Amino acid sequence: MRHEKIETLSTVKLQNNPELYKIVDSLNRTLKDDDLMFGLSLDEDDDETAIFTIYRT
């Protein structure tokens, strides 16, 4: 069984916007075959800040 490692390439904090998930969804759909994955979460300490992360899978 092959174990895959997920590598974090970049993390950026930015002002939260309810439309950000659309960009993340589009990137994931478009670039999944290039072994890239994108994540979006809220900062634990500040609901006004989103955290965007790029991973290599």
Side-chain angles (χ1 to χ4, degrees):
M1 177 180 233
R2 187 175 140 192
H3 295 280
E4 297 199 21
K5 181 182 174 192
I6 296 176
E7 175 187 6
T8 300
L9 299 178
S10 177
T11 300
V12 177
K13 289 187 176 187
L14 57 152
Q15 184 176 355
N16 190 23
N17 180 305
E19 300 284 314
L20 286 174
Y21 79 92
K22 292 179 182 180
I23 295 169
V24 174
D25 183 56
S26 178
L27 288 167
N28 279 323
R29 290 173 191 251
T30 305
L31 298 172
K32 66 182 175 185
D33 292 337
D34 294 328
D35 297 327
L36 294 173
M37 181 173 66
F38 303 86
L40 184 65
S41 63
L42 283 178
D43 187 296
E44 292 180 5
D45 300 322
D46 180 8
D47 287 346
E48 298 295 317
T49 300
I51 302 171
F52 174 73
T53 307
I54 303 171
Y55 304 96
R56 184 175 312 281
T57 60

